[in-house]
Amino acid sequence: MEILQGRDLSEKVVIITGANSGIGFETAKSLALHGACVILACRNMSRANEAVQRILGEWHKAKVEAMTLDLASLHSVQHFAEAFKSKNVPLHVLICNAAVFAAPWSLTEDDLEATFQVNHLGHFYLVQLLEDTLRRSSPARVVMVSSESHRFSEIKDSSGKLDFSLLSPSKKEFWAMVAYNRSKLCNILFSNELNRHLSPYGVTSNAVHPGNMIYSSIHRNWWVYTLLFTLARPFTKSMAHPIQ
Ligand SMILES: NC(=O)c1ccc[n+]([C@@H]2O[C@H](COP(=O)([O-])OP(=O)(O)OC[C@H]3O[C@@H](n4cnc5c(N)ncnc54)[C@H](OP(=O)(O)O)[C@@H]3O)[C@@H](O)[C@H]2O)c1
């Protein structure tokens, strides 16, 4: 809210993935309260509609809408992109925010490891599908919400080649924190390449680190993380704290 103070975003159309809670919700609310038309792209429609109502409760004229997007399903991503395009509106800002953290090993319906697909591949596919709309709406921007923890990971194998096991590692090889860190590294590599590819057309891409151990719902997959986030809470940023 502080960063956007005095800005009129009433001409802007924004999509935010995973906007029903946490940092995504705060971002959606701030943009909507400054006039932007904001689409909350969420996997759970009842949580998404609740989030829409919370924003409308703050300003009844806010232009907010929930649409279904499950990043763990390539079919859902495609369906979302088609539904959005059928609205025939521009797209000025696409914020790829949704993520899972410390999620146990599981494969999606596409037979890919879930953390990798939700955090990186689903967003990668979404951007590909919306690229023409972004280009037509330029100046436009993509924001990848990544994490500092990308620094503690590697996506090459010992021979220096891309380690394809990250797509679908066996349960035995899987370590949730490593999968998260790797997905966040993919976010940054993708954002950098996207920026190289699209900035000549007036579409920029940036990756951001929102802050460390912000008390959202992200810790929910393991009680140990919930405890750590609770202990750190007095010393860390709130969800509404600006990204700098
Ligand atoms: N919190 C931190 O300390 C921190 C630090 C560094 C980076 N980040 C990054 O900040 C971003 C936001 O995280 P947060 O802290 O706000 O966490 P959060 O409150 O858990 O929000 C994550 C959002 O992603 C959604 N999501 C999960 N799986 C999905 C799927 N398959 N399809 C669509 N949406 C899905 C969740 O929806 P449901 O409610 O339906 O699960 C939720 O709305 C993430 O990219 C995270 O990596 C956070």
Side-chain angles (χ1 to χ4, degrees), residues 154-158 160-167 182:
E154 187 52 87
I155 54 170
K156 290 183 198 149
D157 62 19
S158 51
K161 298 217 171 95
L162 181 64
D163 182 1
F164 281 101
S165 74
L166 96 162
L167 300 182
R182 287 177 131 194

Side-chain angles (χ1 to χ4, degrees), residues 32-237:
L33 296 186
H34 284 83
C37 168
V38 182
I39 290 169
L40 286 71
C42 305
R43 64 174 161 175
N44 180 314
M45 279 314 267
S46 75
R47 281 201 287 260
N49 285 325
E50 248 173 59
V52 165
Q53 290 310 318
R54 276 162 65 200
I55 297 173
L56 288 173
E58 298 223 7
W59 187 35
H60 71 285
K61 286 185 180 165
K63 290 172 277 173
V64 276
E65 185 189 337
M67 286 179 70
T68 309
L69 169 69
D70 181 357
L71 290 154
S73 156
L74 295 176
H75 181 259
S76 170
V77 175
Q78 196 177 2
H79 189 263
F80 171 85
E82 280 163 12
F84 175 75
K85 284 176 166 187
S86 71
K87 291 176 180 292
N88 279 321
V89 293
L91 175 58
H92 302 105
V93 185
L94 171 58
I95 303 179
C96 297
N97 161 81
V100 286
F101 168 77
W105 180 88
S106 72
L107 294 182
T108 65
E109 65 183 36
D110 303 299
D111 258 345
L112 294 161
E113 191 279 308
T115 300
F116 176 75
Q117 180 163 348
V118 172
N119 297 8
H120 169 61
L121 196 76
H123 283 128
F124 175 90
Y125 188 38
L126 179 65
V127 175
Q128 308 306 311
L129 295 173
L130 295 177
E131 184 183 320
D132 51 349
T133 313
L134 285 162
R135 279 167 63 153
R136 273 201 306 277
S137 315
S138 79
R141 64 172 68 197
V142 176
V143 179
M144 303 295 310
V145 184
S146 180
S147 171
E148 180 93 59
S149 59
H150 78 276
R151 294 186 195 284
F152 312 110
S153 66
E154 187 52 87
I155 54 170
K156 290 183 198 149
D157 62 19
S158 51
S159 64
K161 298 217 171 95
L162 181 64
D163 182 1
F164 281 101
S165 74
L166 96 162
L167 300 182
S168 190
S170 68
K171 195 172 178 180
K172 233 169 77 189
E173 293 173 321
F174 183 75
W175 189 17
M177 196 63 212
V178 172
Y180 176 79
N181 293 350
R182 287 177 131 194
S183 71
K184 293 287 138 183
L185 177 58
C186 290
N187 285 161
I188 294 175
L189 296 174
F190 173 46
S191 175
N192 290 348
E193 183 51 32
L194 192 67
N195 192 58
R196 264 192 290 277
H197 177 62
L198 289 185
S199 53
Y201 304 98
V203 182
T204 56
S205 177
N206 289 280
V208 296
H209 166 61
N212 289 315
M213 299 182 84
I214 300 169
Y215 199 87
S216 60
S217 322
I218 202 149
H219 51 78
R220 71 188 119 168
N221 281 316
W222 193 26
W223 67 268
V224 175
Y225 285 120
T226 303
L227 178 65
L228 288 175
F229 274 66
T230 306
L231 293 173
R233 194 171 184 178
F235 312 102
T236 57
K237 285 159 84 174

